Amino acid sequence: MKEFQPLIGEWHGEGEVPMEPPMKISVEAKIERLGEFIVFSSVGEPAEVPDSVSIIGGAPDGEPQPMHYFDSRGVKRLFMMALEGSTWTIWRAPGEDWKGPHGPGFNQRFIGEISADGKTIEGRWERGMGDAGDEWGIDFPISYFRK
């Protein structure tokens, strides 16, 4: 879990959801260690952005880690998370039903690039459409700034 050290800390996130009219979002996020696990919590604005908490860990070191996600809407999802070099990725866990009651009806993944100085992350959530959920397009971009 040492590979996740560049993410540990407090972050401010800003993005815009492409809808009509566009919805600007703001997120206060904290990524911290809890023993052998990592806790990723966030509080968002406006009210349509759910507050969330994720517990990350449980796989052997050096492997993608399970990320158990819970939010203020009552949604729970299982993702996988990895940090390789400066690229942070989150994706739906194999076998996770993205069309089911806790799925948004589309597959999801996050890709973020950490700056060389570790102070910013330029990221984007993507949605996978089609029957297999593998026709990817940008859902919304989000940038994180270390506090």
Side-chain angles (χ1 to χ4, degrees), residues 1 36-38 55-59 65-68:
M1 298 277 287
E36 296 295 317
F37 297 93
I38 293 173
I55 309 298
I56 301 146
Q65 296 295 316
M67 177 176 155
H68 297 268

Side-chain angles (χ1 to χ4, degrees), residues 52-96:
S52 68
V53 64
S54 296
I55 309 298
I56 301 146
D61 279 347
E63 291 186 14
Q65 296 295 316
M67 177 176 155
H68 297 268
Y69 168 93
F70 307 90
D71 74 27
S72 56
R73 302 169 296 180
V75 169
K76 56 186 177 189
R77 297 183 180 144
L78 179 58
F79 291 93
M80 299 300 290
M81 184 171 110
L83 183 60
E84 296 179 15
S86 63
T87 304
W88 176 22
T89 54
I90 301 170
W91 64 97
R92 294 302 289 268
E96 182 78 351

Side-chain angles (χ1 to χ4, degrees), residues 3-142:
E3 65 268 25
F4 296 109
Q5 190 59 36
L7 299 174
I8 302 299
E10 294 187 32
W11 298 86
H12 171 75
E14 297 177 356
E16 186 172 277
V17 178
M19 54 193 303
E20 202 49 52
M23 180 174 62
K24 291 192 181 292
I25 61 172
S26 175
V27 177
E28 300 304 320
K30 183 186 275 188
I31 303 174
E32 57 190 330
R33 292 199 175 276
L34 179 62
E36 296 295 317
F37 297 93
I38 293 173
V39 177
F40 179 4
S41 58
S42 69
V43 176
E45 291 287 334
E48 293 86 355
V49 178
D51 299 343
S52 68
V53 64
S54 296
I55 309 298
I56 301 146
D61 279 347
E63 291 186 14
Q65 296 295 316
M67 177 176 155
H68 297 268
Y69 168 93
F70 307 90
D71 74 27
S72 56
R73 302 169 296 180
V75 169
K76 56 186 177 189
R77 297 183 180 144
L78 179 58
F79 291 93
M80 299 300 290
M81 184 171 110
L83 183 60
E84 296 179 15
S86 63
T87 304
W88 176 22
T89 54
I90 301 170
W91 64 97
R92 294 302 289 268
E96 182 78 351
D97 184 6
W98 46 270
K99 293 181 181 180
H102 290 286
F106 55 86
N107 200 0
Q108 295 174 296
R109 68 182 180 191
F110 172 83
I111 302 169
E113 288 296 327
I114 302 170
S115 64
D117 64 7
K119 294 182 180 178
T120 61
I121 302 169
E122 294 297 328
R124 67 189 182 276
W125 278 97
E126 296 182 341
R127 61 171 55 203
M129 304 301 282
D131 290 339
D134 59 357
E135 297 170 22
W136 295 100
I138 294 178
D139 194 14
F140 65 93
I142 187 163

